[in-house]
Amino acid sequence: MYEQKQSPFWWTRNPATIIYFLRELTGLFLSGALIYFIVRACLNQNLWFLHSTSSRVVSMVGLIAALIHTITWLWVTVQVTPFDLKKSVQVGGFIVLMTIWLGISYFIFKFLYLSQSLI
Amino acid sequence: METTSTNVLVKRYIPAAAEPFYQTYELRFADDMTVLDALTRIKDVQDGSLTFRWSCRMGICGSCAAVVNGKPVLMCQTYMKDVKQPVRVEPLRNFPVVRDLVVDIDDAFEKMRSTMPYIDRMEKRALEDGEYLQTPQERAQINKTSQCIKCMICYSACPVYGLDKNFIGPAAGALAYRYTADSRDQSKDKRLEAVSGEKGVWKCSFVGECSAVCPKRVDPAISLQRLKLMGSLRLGKKAVTGK
């Protein structure tokens, strides 16, 4: 028998798999941004490096990756319930999850990130 | 009837040969000719050695699954006029090729057998007590997953199965969900434990291609995610109650 090997470029077959691959790749960008900041924080005595251009670029990349990752996964979450939900209920659930996520993000940004004790 | 001339490229494999090769056949097709009809015509008139599986010709047996122009489909449900010419026909991906378009699907069937694909009543009931009843709403829970014809198109589309043959795969996942969600079954916990292991549903990364290509719209991707959820809840229940 002839054993068929999967091509490493299987994900280029159609637009859906390309989007899937890019979505999974956002995890790498997110991790990369986090590692960058941890390393810089360890090497510096303060957090002034956050104002540098390179930090802002890395922040933007991390933010875009986080947005794509979170929005796509929150949309998937409402589709994998153990029971069938109508489309309108799925959309409503997605909006609730997005609202909770935005609320928590706002709280972290306003009361932790903007706090003078951090920068 | 008006006919159109085309070429059909078939990826062939003869056991004596080292590698597979493409063979081109010239053909004239009418509007009502499917890819399966085209291959049958080629086999009848041009090359009797061309080997492929087929049976019902009406999209219910799942035998004639193959990759046509890069997409896994049922050849009897794919019309020649609807696909880009020339037509390229290849065996299902991710399976060993026995000959030409015939692949060895034993592994996938073994995965399905491992999911306990039967209704298991832990407590038997006497005949006099009547049938095991099911409401239309309970039946509706398993309507989609009951449509699976085991054509293996989902396995061909699944990149996880392509990388790691230990994964149970989409059809086995759909089958496991079909019996777990069946109101008459009483062995849900046993089945969830059987499919929740390292080689089970947790290898699925929700690419979703299995559901996109399924000719019967079984949606195996959602079945696998639901089994993950059910398995997690079962683990939680076991941690709390010890059962």
Side-chain angles (χ1 to χ4, degrees):
Chain A
M1 282 194 283
Y2 174 72
E3 291 286 341
Q4 300 186 85
K5 291 278 178 277
Q6 177 157 269
S7 160
F9 300 103
W10 62 266
W11 53 277
T12 57
R13 268 182 226 144
N14 61 59
T17 48
I18 292 171
I19 290 169
Y20 161 81
F21 200 78
L22 291 176
R23 187 185 74 203
E24 294 298 299
L25 214 55
T26 56
L28 264 175
F29 289 117
L30 260 172
S31 314
L34 193 62
I35 290 168
Y36 170 86
F37 284 118
I38 290 172
V39 168
R40 289 288 304 257
C42 291
L43 293 174
N44 289 270
Q45 289 178 340
N46 53 50
L47 294 175
W48 285 109
F49 70 89
L50 288 172
H51 294 290
S52 67
T53 308
S54 58
S55 291
R56 284 181 182 160
V57 169
V58 172
S59 290
M60 199 49 63
V61 168
L63 175 65
I64 293 169
L67 280 169
I68 295 171
H69 205 89
T70 307
I71 292 170
T72 51
W73 274 112
L74 285 181
W75 176 238
V76 159
T77 303
V78 296
Q79 295 179 63
V80 297
T81 51
F83 29 79
D84 289 319
L85 291 175
K86 280 187 205 166
K87 201 72 175 181
S88 54
V89 177
Q90 284 181 4
V91 171
F94 172 69
I95 291 170
V96 168
L97 287 172
M98 284 291 294
T99 307
I100 294 171
W101 172 62
L102 287 169
I104 294 173
S105 302
Y106 174 75
F107 174 82
I108 293 171
F109 181 73
K110 187 168 168 65
F111 296 105
L112 296 177
Y113 185 70
L114 286 185
S115 160
Q116 290 301 312
S117 61
L118 276 184
I119 51 172
Chain B
M1 190 184 275
E2 198 181 311
T3 57
T4 310
S5 176
T6 189
N7 285 335
V8 178
L9 284 76
V10 182
K11 190 174 186 182
R12 301 201 59 188
Y13 173 68
I14 298 163
E19 294 285 323
F21 59 95
Y22 283 91
Q23 187 155 353
T24 304
Y25 301 96
E26 281 180 27
L27 184 80
R28 293 199 73 88
F29 69 90
D31 277 356
D32 61 349
M33 190 182 249
T34 61
V35 175
L36 179 62
D37 292 334
L39 290 189
T40 313
R41 179 123 185 100
I42 290 168
K43 188 175 173 75
D44 284 347
V45 173
Q46 298 184 44
D47 184 353
S49 71
L50 183 60
T51 310
F52 50 95
R53 287 193 180 112
W54 66 278
S55 184
C56 73
R57 297 170 298 126
M58 49 187 260
I60 199 66
C61 72
S63 302
C64 65
V67 174
V68 176
N69 287 358
K71 196 179 166 199
V73 294
L74 292 176
M75 290 195 287
C76 66
Q77 300 291 291
T78 308
Y79 283 87
M80 290 289 288
K81 66 175 174 64
D82 292 335
V83 292
K84 200 173 157 198
Q85 306 299 326
V87 182
R88 196 175 74 249
V89 186
E90 295 157 311
L92 286 180
R93 294 185 195 107
N94 304 336
F95 292 111
V97 180
V98 178
R99 185 186 168 108
D100 294 345
L101 301 177
V102 175
V103 293
D104 180 3
I105 54 177
D106 282 353
D107 181 61
F109 272 115
E110 198 47 52
K111 301 284 194 305
M112 288 195 217
R113 270 190 281 270
S114 73
T115 64
M116 297 167 55
Y118 41 80
I119 292 172
D120 195 348
R121 300 288 302 187
M122 307 299 267
E123 299 155 12
K124 270 191 175 170
R125 201 155 71 175
L127 268 172
E128 306 80 59
D129 293 333
E131 307 93 330
Y132 298 117
L133 297 178
Q134 191 173 55
T135 65
Q137 292 76 20
E138 286 168 338
R139 177 68 178 89
Q141 287 286 312
I142 55 169
N143 269 347
K144 271 205 301 194
T145 44
S146 298
Q147 301 306 308
C148 179
I149 58 173
K150 282 80 176 166
C151 59
M152 308 304 174
I153 283 175
C154 53
Y155 278 87
S156 180
C158 178
V160 179
Y161 184 73
L163 282 170
D164 183 359
K165 296 293 183 284
N166 284 321
F167 175 43
I168 59 163
L175 197 62
Y177 180 74
R178 179 254 175 272
Y179 285 99
T180 307
D182 196 316
S183 56
R184 297 166 294 177
D185 182 66
Q186 291 180 335
S187 62
K188 296 181 199 323
D189 289 346
K190 267 172 56 179
R191 191 176 297 101
L192 282 172
E193 287 197 18
V195 301
S196 295
E198 197 185 300
K199 298 176 184 178
V201 298
W202 289 99
K203 276 195 178 281
C204 171
S205 58
F206 207 171
V207 179
E209 273 304 279
C210 53
S211 294
V213 298
C214 179
K216 294 295 173 185
R217 297 184 187 165
V218 170
D219 203 352
I222 287 294
S223 299
L224 285 159
Q225 310 323 307
R226 285 178 176 175
L227 283 170
K228 285 179 190 172
L229 194 60
M230 289 163 140
S232 305
L233 291 172
R234 155 93 191 115
L235 202 65
K237 181 185 156 195
K238 200 174 173 183
V240 169
T241 63
K243 291 187 231 181

